[in-house]
Amino acid sequence: MMSGGIGIPAGPAMVLALGLLLCSCSVKEDRRACPCYVRIEVGEFLHAGLPEALVSFSSGGGIRRSEVDLSEFRESGLVQSLPRGAAGAALAAGLDCMEVRGDSLVVPYGQEADPLWLYAEKFVCDGDEKHLQAVPCKQYCTLTVVVSGLEEDVDHGMTLSVMAGSCALDIYSARPLAGAYRAVARRSGASAFQVRIPRQSGYGLLLEILVPSGGEDGQENLSRVLDLGSEFRKAGYDWQRRNLQDASALVDYSGAEISLSIGDWDVDGSFGDIEI
């Protein structure tokens, strides 16, 4: 682990501080041994209403990571000294249950994915300074499920769960990582449910519907397991979008059928798509 925290000079003092720091390496010296000062602009996070974030830097096999109040760096930006060479930077907002394990953000099994907004970038520190613009990107799909084909005005005690093949992200690339994901959907109405799904590498998703058996033992019977992934695929859902869209599914319980539609949510047209 690298020592030291995130350096944050402010205003005119920042310019002076950087000047003094850069002067610590003489022009007569081999500047490859001098540090690179990385400045990250955080205005886009603040504009999106995300004032707090986990900030992480990786370089030379070391990691510098801390929870940061971004509003303190609205004007100055975040400044961190790193050794020259390959590096990574990330800002993650919306974290709650997700765990940081090395370079990964992991959703523990059985927990719902966080409403994660992530800026992730890999770059090369090849000079005295490096300027980056942190733009938050939506890393989750909120799926709304409405169930039909059941007796109306009756509380069936139904529960819905989503299972998927990716439960984590590489913090510096936003690349989905393999792992079992399972989360119980939240009830949002008499026959409506919602659940967040983290970014996926494919369409291996299942929707499991459980209904109480009514027996004395109180156990639940597995009533339906539907191929949710195939519906995402048929609807043209793109798990490689820079900002993931939300989706809605209508489930006909009696016919064991499901249809899915994609929401038209987007931050703005400038984000486009990325390769993951």
Side-chain angles (χ1 to χ4, degrees), residues 71-86:
S71 62
E72 296 181 10
F73 315 117
R74 184 186 303 270
E75 301 298 331
S76 65
L78 290 163
V79 179
Q80 176 66 61
S81 63
L82 296 176
R84 301 197 183 200

Side-chain angles (χ1 to χ4, degrees), residues 43-256:
E44 293 289 342
F45 269 75
L46 296 173
H47 180 70
L50 303 168
E52 298 179 353
L54 174 71
V55 179
S56 184
F57 290 94
S58 176
S59 182
I63 297 173
R64 295 180 179 179
R65 187 170 289 158
S66 61
E67 297 282 348
V68 173
D69 180 354
L70 299 179
S71 62
E72 296 181 10
F73 315 117
R74 184 186 303 270
E75 301 298 331
S76 65
L78 290 163
V79 179
Q80 176 66 61
S81 63
L82 296 176
R84 301 197 183 200
L91 273 70
L95 293 176
D96 183 15
C97 76
M98 294 184 76
E99 300 175 354
V100 182
R101 302 177 187 173
D103 289 347
S104 303
L105 291 171
V106 183
V107 184
Y109 186 77
Q111 298 288 322
E112 182 182 12
D114 290 334
L116 174 64
W117 292 80
L118 178 67
Y119 157 71
E121 185 166 355
K122 293 182 177 180
F123 55 95
V124 176
C125 285
D126 53 4
D128 293 334
E129 300 178 55
K130 188 77 174 182
H131 294 271
L132 304 173
Q133 181 74 39
V135 177
C137 296
K138 186 171 179 281
Q139 304 296 327
Y140 64 97
C141 165
T142 296
L143 174 66
T144 300
V145 181
V146 177
V147 182
S148 65
L150 290 171
E151 185 180 353
E152 297 182 0
D153 302 324
V154 175
D155 185 0
H156 300 277
M158 176 189 301
T159 60
L160 272 68
S161 299
V162 168
M163 294 166 285
S166 299
C167 69
L169 290 174
D170 182 297
I171 193 172
Y172 299 114
S173 68
R175 179 173 57 89
L177 304 174
Y181 176 74
R182 182 187 181 99
V184 176
R186 296 165 276 112
R187 186 182 289 271
S188 58
S191 300
F193 302 81
Q194 282 192 332
V195 62
R196 290 185 296 269
I197 305 172
R199 186 180 292 278
Q200 298 293 304
S201 60
Y203 295 92
L205 295 96
L206 297 174
L207 178 65
E208 179 184 88
I209 304 177
L210 295 173
V211 177
S213 64
E216 294 181 359
D217 57 7
Q219 293 182 348
E220 293 179 322
N221 288 336
L222 179 60
S223 298
R224 297 282 188 270
V225 176
L226 304 177
D227 188 349
L228 183 62
S230 66
E231 298 302 319
F232 270 83
R233 185 192 300 273
K234 286 190 293 186
Y237 193 89
D238 185 1
W239 286 106
Q240 293 188 6
R241 282 179 62 93
R242 193 168 183 178
N243 288 277
L244 292 180
Q245 294 174 289
D246 295 332
S248 300
L250 177 62
V251 175
D252 181 352
Y253 181 82
S254 59

